[in-house]
Amino acid sequence: MRIFIYVVLLSGIIACSTSPTGRNQVKLFSSDTLNSMGNDTFAAFKSEQKVSTQRIENQYVQCIADALIPHIPTGTFDGDWEVVVFDDEQINAFALPGGKIGVYTGILKVAETPDQLASVMGHEIGHVIAEHGNERMSIATLSNLGLQITNVGLKSAGVTNKNQALMMAGAGLLAQYGVNLPFSRAHESESDLIGLQLMAKAGFNPHAAPKLWENMAAAAKGSAPPEWQSTHPANDTRIAALNAAIPSVMADYRAAANKPNCIQ
């Protein structure tokens, strides 16, 4: 167990970069690797899931994307972004390294206005801006390495098979609840803030972001797990954080030369 903890702590020591919000990050993979994986994953989504052919839906989502994309920091992706609407009732959207954005039609019923949908899409783009995919893969790699080293150490110490299984189960829980889930929640909170700034710069009203999460909470109908067991912060936590951050982005919103006119 001690060896596993040392490896997890090592992830903080080898952090060689910081996120857009100033948080230390561990990134073991190259941007080219992540872009290639994003391209492959998106191609698989398009081949396996139904793509919407509804002209109005596609124009609406593309309009919002077109307003957001010019404000994505230089270096995030050096090419043309691809935007696809998937005909599926799940309440979701995503963005991938390599300049890919996917929006499911189900989210269009929860994001009631263009500003609310911009907050969703800005959030998803925020994951790409902050390279969260790279960080999650890196943390998973280090966690798995820690578990492997712990297992070898227990065997070398002559721990019985029964006790070894119990200790490895404990190490696995530590990795999940002490490392993986907190990192995931940190990523979601960070993407909320990055997306808020992105939508403000694009001319979308930042006040729509907490309203979106009120709608999401209503759609969930109380089915979400406790925050400490979840990959995402609780809706109330997100709403409070977004409301607290809105004053810091209002100057960007007011300075936006053009307020997008995306018609649903």
Side-chain angles (χ1 to χ4, degrees):
M1 182 75 72
R2 185 178 300 169
I3 296 173
F4 169 74
I5 294 173
Y6 288 162
V7 173
V8 172
L9 292 176
L10 179 63
S11 68
I13 296 172
I14 65 174
C16 57
S17 63
T18 56
S19 74
T21 64
R23 181 178 55 81
N24 287 337
Q25 291 184 291
V26 180
K27 295 188 292 188
L28 304 180
F29 301 91
S30 70
S31 295
D32 287 344
T33 297
L34 270 293
N35 288 343
S36 178
M37 293 175 66
N39 289 334
D40 291 344
T41 301
F42 203 66
F45 275 133
K46 290 192 295 182
S47 67
E48 296 169 3
Q49 301 188 37
K50 184 179 179 181
V51 174
S52 173
T53 58
Q54 295 296 317
R55 181 178 58 85
I56 294 176
E57 283 180 349
N58 280 276
Q59 288 179 343
Y60 174 58
V61 172
Q62 188 68 55
C63 176
I64 295 171
D66 288 344
L68 292 169
I69 288 170
H71 301 279
I72 297 173
T74 304
T76 300
F77 175 66
D78 210 14
D80 294 328
W81 285 73
E82 181 181 4
V83 182
V84 173
V85 179
F86 292 98
D87 188 0
D88 192 294
E89 287 302 303
Q90 64 175 291
I91 302 171
N92 205 1
F94 63 91
L96 298 173
K100 308 298 181 184
I101 300 172
V103 175
Y104 291 96
T105 53
I107 195 69
L108 302 181
K109 299 176 182 178
V110 178
E112 298 171 336
T113 67
D115 299 287
Q116 289 180 21
L117 185 57
S119 74
V120 174
M121 294 171 66
H123 167 91
E124 298 303 334
I125 294 169
H127 283 304
V128 179
I129 292 172
E131 298 187 72
H132 288 158
N134 193 334
E135 191 175 7
R136 290 185 187 188
M137 288 173 54
S138 300
I139 291 299
T141 298
L142 290 170
S143 294
N144 289 336
L145 176 62
L147 290 171
Q148 291 172 22
I149 293 174
T150 299
N151 192 33
V152 172
L154 292 174
K155 288 181 179 179
S156 299
V159 177
T160 64
N161 289 339
K162 181 178 179 180
N163 287 336
Q164 182 180 329
L166 290 172
M167 294 178 75
M168 286 302 297
L173 288 174
L174 175 62
Q176 179 69 356
Y177 292 102
V179 180
N180 296 335
L181 290 179
F183 262 105
S184 180
R185 290 193 294 272
H187 292 167
E188 295 299 323
S189 296
E190 188 169 59
S191 285
D192 281 348
L193 299 180
I194 296 170
L196 188 71
Q197 186 176 54
L198 183 62
M199 69 181 292
K201 288 182 176 180
F204 294 102
N205 190 339
H207 289 281
K211 174 57 180 173
L212 179 278
W213 286 105
E214 292 175 11
N215 295 352
M216 293 288 277
K221 298 178 181 178
S223 62
E227 185 171 83
W228 66 276
Q229 293 181 335
S230 177
T231 58
H232 291 58
N235 289 318
D236 287 347
T237 300
R238 303 181 89 149
I239 291 167
L242 285 165
N243 278 322
I246 284 174
S248 69
V249 302
M250 287 306 294
D252 287 329
Y253 173 60
R254 288 190 290 267
N258 298 305
K259 300 297 190 285
N261 184 27
C262 301
I263 300 173
Q264 186 172 8

